[in-house]
Amino acid sequence: MTRTGAPRPHPAASQPPGVSSPSSAPPSGPFRRLRSALSLAGLAQWLSVPALTAMAAMLTRDDDVSTRLQAVGGTLALMLLPAVLLAPLAGPLAGRVDRRLMLMIADVLRLVIVVTVPLVDLLAWTLAAAFLVSCLSLLWAAAARSSLRALLPDEEPRAARTASRAVFGPAPAAAVLFAVLALIADGMLGRGSRADLALYVTAGIFALSTAAVAMIREIPVTAMAPVPAPLKLLFQGPGTAAARGTGLAIAAVSLTAGAVVAVARVHTGVLGGGDAGYGTVLAGLAFGLGFGMFLGPRALVPFSRRRLLGLAVVAAALALVVLALVQNLVVVVFMTAFLGVFAGAAWSTATAAVTDPDAPEDARPVAYLRSVALVTAFVALIAVPLVAGALGAHRIELGGGVYDVAGSGAALLIAAVVALVCGLPAYRRLDDRRGIPLVPDLCAALHGEVYTPPQAAAEAAQQPVHRERGVFIAFEGGEGAGKTTQARLAAIWLRDHGYDVVTTHEPGATKIGMRLRAMLLDRDTTGLSDRAETLLYAADRADHIANVIRPAMERGAIVVSDRYVDSSLAYQGFGRQQPVEDIARVNAWATGGLVPDLTVLLEIPPEAGLRRLPAPADRIESEPQDFHERVRAGFRALAEADPDRYLILDASRPQGELSREIQYRIREILPDPVPAGTEDATSTFPAIRDF
C-alpha cells in the first residue's frame, strides 16, 4: 500500500530548473561573445578526441588487434593523463598571462599540433600530440573559467555553470560531427587518409575560436580558482561518510563508461562500423550522459535518492553486459546510450547528495567524487585494452551454433562484472530503506507516492496520534538566501503528508518577541551594544522555546523554524566578532539545550543575497559587506563542526531543486505519519500553525 497524501508540487516550486529569477540581469555583450568563442573551442577540443584516436587506429591498421587496442587506449590515456597529474599547475601557469592572450595561445598551439598529426603521419607523434593538446586544454579551461567570472563578477554561480557548459556541453555535438565527417571521408578519401579530415576540421574550428576571442577587446583579470590534485584527494579520503559510500558507486559507473570508450574504436571495427560507428557510439554515450545528468534529480521524486544511485550503478553494469555480448552495432549504440543515461543519473544524484558548493575546493566531497571518476576512467583506459589484447578472439560452440567472442567484448564483460561487484555493495551501503521491498517501492514512486509496507501501516494505525516528542527543523543562512520560502514549502509538503506542523521564526514569534524584534531590527535603534544585542536575541529565543517550540514538540508536532541559535552564533559571534563560546553557553541556558534534529543551511554570496531583498534594509541587513562575509564564514564553520546535523545547499540553484533535496533529507528523520482514518477517529486534523 502507499501513504495517502502523495507529494504535490507547490506553485512556488514549479519554476523550471535552470530558469533565472526575474531579478537576474542579462549577460553583457562581451560575456555572450566569450561564451560563443569558448563553445567553439570546446567543440574542437572534444572533436580532437575521436580524431586523434581514429588516427592512431588508422596508423596501426595493418597490425594485430592487440596493437590497435593499445594504440587507441594509449592515445586516450595520454589525453587524460594531464588532468590526473597536472591539474593543480594549470591555474598558476595560466594566471601568468593575460586571460584573452592565454585563450588565443592555447587555441593556436592546439591548431598547429593537430594540423601536424596527418602531415607527420607517425604513431609516436600522434601519441605526443594527444598529450600536448590535453596539456594546453588544461590551461585553456583555467583561463576560460577565470574569464567568465571576470565578465560576470556578480553572478559567480551563473558564470561557473556557463564555464561548465562551454567545456562539456559540446561533447555530444562533437561526436555527431565526427560520425558525419567519417562518413564523408569513407566516400571521398583513400583508406590511408580517412582520419585526416576530422583533424583538419578540428584545426579549422580552433581557428574560428581564436578569431572569436580576438574580437573581444579586453577581459578583466581575476584570481585563478585553485584546482585540487586528484591523487591527493584520493589519498586524503572523502571526509564524510556520505562521500565514502557514493565514491564506490561513482567508481563503478566510471569503470563502465571508461571501458566503453577504451575499446569503442576497435570494437566497432570488429562489428563493421569503422570510424562512423565509433562516432555514433560516442554520440550515444555523450547524449546519454547529458540526459541522465538532467534526469537524475527529477526522476522518481518520491523515491529514495540513495536507492536510486545504487540502482543506477547496477543498471549501468547490466547495460555493459548486454553491450559486450550482443554483436550488433545498432544494439551496441542503443545500449551505450542507456549506459550513459544510468551513469549520468548516478553522477548527478551522487554529487547532489554530497554537494558542498562553497567549501574550499580541496575539502569538497564532490571534488573527491570527481577525482574518483577521473582516476577510475584513466585506469580503465589503460587496463581494458590490455585485457582485450591479452584475451584475443575466440570461437565458442554453443548448442550446435558458433559464437565468436572478440577480445574487446570479453574485456567489456569483465569490466561489467567488476562494476557489478562494486555496484552491489554500493547499493547495500547506500540503501536507506532497508526492509522495504524494492519493486513495490519503485512502483509507488512511479505513481508519485512513497511506499509503506502493509504491516507497518497497520502498526501505525494502532499507535496513538500524539507522539512523545516531535521533530525540530531549523532553516539558517545569510540575508536573501531564501530561508523563509524554503521553510514554508517544507511545511506545506509535510502537511500534505499528514503531519502536525508548526512554522515559526526568530526573532518575533511571540508577543514579547515582537517587541524585541522591533528593537533589534529597527534602523532607528542606535547605541545598542553588541553584548546587549546578543542577550536580547537570547531573551527572544527563551520566550520562543517556552511558548511555541517546546509545547509543539511535546505534543508530537514537527516544528519548522526560520532561524535559531546558529544565527546568533554566526551574526553576533562571527559577525560582531564576539566570543562564540560565550554566546553558545548563554543560548544553551536560554533554550534548555534544545538542538534541532536537522539544520538546513542555505548559502549564497552576500552581495547576491542582499540584491534579492526589498528596500529599505533593516538594521542587520544594512551592515557592511565584510560583516556579512564573516557571517557566511561563521555558518560554514558551524556546519563543518557538526556535519551530521546539517544539510548545506547552494541557494543560487533553482527553487524547485532545493525543495526536492530538502524533502529527501527530511524524510530520513521523520516519524511515521498520522495514519489514514485517524482524523475520523479522533476528530482532529493536522494543521500548520504560524506563530
Side-chain angles (χ1 to χ4, degrees):
M1 64 179 293
T2 57
R3 295 178 186 169
T4 59
R8 299 190 296 271
H10 187 265
S14 60
Q15 184 181 11
V19 176
S20 301
S21 62
S23 60
S24 298
S28 62
F31 182 87
R32 289 194 299 270
R33 289 193 293 274
L34 179 61
R35 182 176 57 192
S36 300
L38 296 180
S39 296
L40 281 172
L43 177 63
Q45 175 184 326
W46 284 106
L47 184 58
S48 68
V49 176
L52 288 169
T53 52
M55 187 67 181
M58 190 274 294
L59 292 173
T60 56
R61 63 189 181 277
D62 296 326
D63 298 320
D64 56 26
V65 174
S66 176
T67 302
R68 292 202 304 273
L69 284 164
Q70 293 176 24
V72 173
T75 303
L76 291 167
L78 285 170
M79 296 194 83
L80 202 58
L81 182 61
V84 175
L85 297 181
L86 307 177
L89 303 178
L93 290 176
R96 296 175 178 271
V97 183
D98 176 77
R99 304 294 182 265
R100 176 171 168 270
L101 184 58
M102 184 71 254
L103 292 172
M104 295 174 64
I105 290 173
D107 283 345
V108 170
L109 290 179
R110 286 186 290 182
L111 182 159
V112 172
I113 293 171
V114 168
V115 165
T116 61
V117 171
L119 298 177
V120 175
D121 209 29
L122 290 175
L123 178 61
W125 175 240
T126 302
L127 296 173
F131 180 77
L132 294 174
V133 166
S134 184
C135 290
L136 291 168
S137 296
L138 278 183
L139 298 174
W140 171 84
R145 287 191 294 266
S146 177
S147 301
L148 288 169
R149 286 199 308 270
L151 291 176
L152 207 62
D154 296 333
E155 298 283 349
E156 185 170 342
R158 187 177 180 184
R161 287 193 297 270
T162 302
S164 180
R165 289 168 186 162
V167 174
F168 299 104
V176 172
L177 178 58
F178 176 78
V180 172
L181 292 173
L183 288 173
I184 295 173
D186 286 345
M188 298 179 60
L189 301 177
R191 183 166 176 258
S193 304
R194 290 175 181 173
D196 298 356
L197 180 60
L199 290 167
Y200 288 131
V201 172
T202 301
I205 299 174
F206 276 131
L208 291 176
S209 173
T210 305
V213 174
M215 295 175 64
I216 303 171
R217 294 184 178 179
E218 183 180 359
I219 298 176
V221 176
T222 57
M224 290 286 185
V227 177
L231 294 178
K232 178 182 177 182
L233 283 178
L234 285 181
F235 283 117
Q236 288 179 343
T240 66
R244 258 192 309 275
T246 55
L248 186 60
I250 292 301
V253 294
S254 300
L255 174 61
T256 61
V260 171
V261 174
V263 299
R265 175 59 188 86
V266 175
H267 194 61
T268 54
V270 172
L271 300 179
D275 284 344
Y278 175 44
T280 306
V281 168
L282 294 182
L285 182 62
F287 278 108
L289 283 169
F291 183 69
M293 293 175 69
F294 172 83
L295 190 65
R298 299 162 179 82
L300 302 173
V301 172
F303 197 67
S304 161
R305 296 296 94 183
R306 293 184 181 180
R307 221 172 216 203
L308 179 62
L309 172 57
L311 284 179
V313 174
V314 175
L318 292 177
L320 187 59
V321 170
V322 177
L323 192 155
L325 294 177
V326 178
Q327 297 183 357
N328 181 284
L329 184 59
V330 175
V331 175
V332 166
V333 171
F334 276 100
M335 292 312 302
T336 302
F338 282 120
L339 187 153
V341 171
F342 298 136
W347 174 258
S348 61
T349 304
T351 52
V354 302
T355 189
D356 193 7
D358 293 314
E361 193 73 27
D362 60 354
R364 290 168 58 178
V366 70
Y368 168 78
L369 297 184
R370 194 178 296 118
S371 300
V372 169
L374 186 65
V375 174
T376 303
F378 178 73
V379 172
L381 293 177
I382 295 176
V384 174
L386 290 175
V387 172
L391 292 175
H394 297 278
R395 175 163 290 185
I396 302 175
E397 295 185 2
L398 291 174
V402 176
Y403 184 81
D404 291 322
V405 180
S408 55
L412 290 176
L413 187 59
I414 292 174
V417 172
V418 174
L420 276 174
V421 170
C422 295
L424 291 174
Y427 173 78
R428 287 195 294 268
R429 181 178 296 183
L430 293 167
D431 189 5
D432 55 353
R433 283 174 62 80
R434 294 184 181 180
I436 305 296
L438 175 61
V439 174
D441 193 20
L442 189 59
C443 292
L446 290 171
H447 291 86
E449 299 173 334
V450 178
Y451 177 77
T452 301
Q455 182 180 359
E459 293 175 356
Q462 299 174 3
Q463 298 297 322
V465 175
H466 299 296
R467 306 178 183 89
E468 294 181 359
R469 182 187 183 277
V471 175
F472 184 17
I473 303 169
F475 283 75
E476 299 282 9
E479 307 301 329
K483 301 175 302 300
T484 303
T485 298
Q486 291 299 335
R488 186 73 176 176
L489 293 176
I492 292 171
W493 176 74
L494 287 164
R495 168 63 182 84
D496 285 346
H497 282 69
Y499 291 97
D500 180 5
V501 183
V502 173
T503 59
T504 185
H505 62 276
E506 291 188 358
T510 64
K511 291 183 178 180
I512 297 297
M514 292 173 66
R515 298 179 182 178
L516 293 173
R517 180 184 179 91
M519 288 188 291
L520 287 165
L521 300 183
D522 191 344
R523 296 186 64 174
D524 293 335
T525 300
T526 58
L528 185 65
S529 70
D530 293 343
R531 289 194 176 191
E533 180 184 80
T534 301
L535 292 172
L536 287 176
Y537 274 110
D540 168 83
R541 190 163 292 122
D543 195 53
H544 186 206
I545 289 288
N547 294 302
V548 178
I549 296 179
R550 200 171 291 280
M553 296 191 68
E554 287 175 353
R555 71 167 186 268
I558 297 179
V559 178
V560 179
S561 180
D562 179 357
R563 294 200 183 282
Y564 189 57
V565 172
D566 287 355
S567 285
S568 283
L569 300 177
Y571 279 84
Q572 281 70 54
F574 290 87
R576 301 290 188 206
Q577 297 180 310
Q578 297 184 88
V580 177
E581 296 80 5
D582 293 347
I583 298 174
R585 281 194 292 269
V586 169
N587 279 274
W589 181 77
T591 63
L594 181 63
V595 177
D597 298 285
L598 171 65
T599 299
V600 179
L601 176 58
L602 297 168
E603 291 196 324
I604 192 170
E607 62 273 12
L610 292 171
R611 283 199 306 273
R612 293 180 173 184
L613 301 177
D618 62 31
R619 194 174 71 91
I620 299 297
E621 294 167 354
S622 58
E623 290 290 341
Q625 178 79 13
D626 58 346
F627 171 83
H628 292 288
E629 290 288 354
R630 290 195 299 272
V631 169
R632 185 191 190 195
F635 277 125
R636 168 61 62 175
L638 295 171
E640 290 176 347
D642 191 5
D644 293 337
R645 179 167 62 91
Y646 281 84
L647 171 62
I648 308 173
L649 297 172
D650 179 2
S652 65
R653 294 166 55 196
Q655 190 180 87
E657 289 185 14
L658 296 175
S659 296
R660 283 190 289 271
E661 291 197 33
I662 292 168
Q663 292 167 13
Y664 301 150
R665 182 61 181 273
I666 290 177
R667 278 198 186 100
E668 299 176 2
I669 63 171
L670 286 179
D672 291 333
V674 177
T678 301
E679 296 157 5
D680 299 332
T682 61
S683 300
T684 60
F685 190 84
I688 297 176
R689 297 177 176 85
D690 290 311
F691 288 84

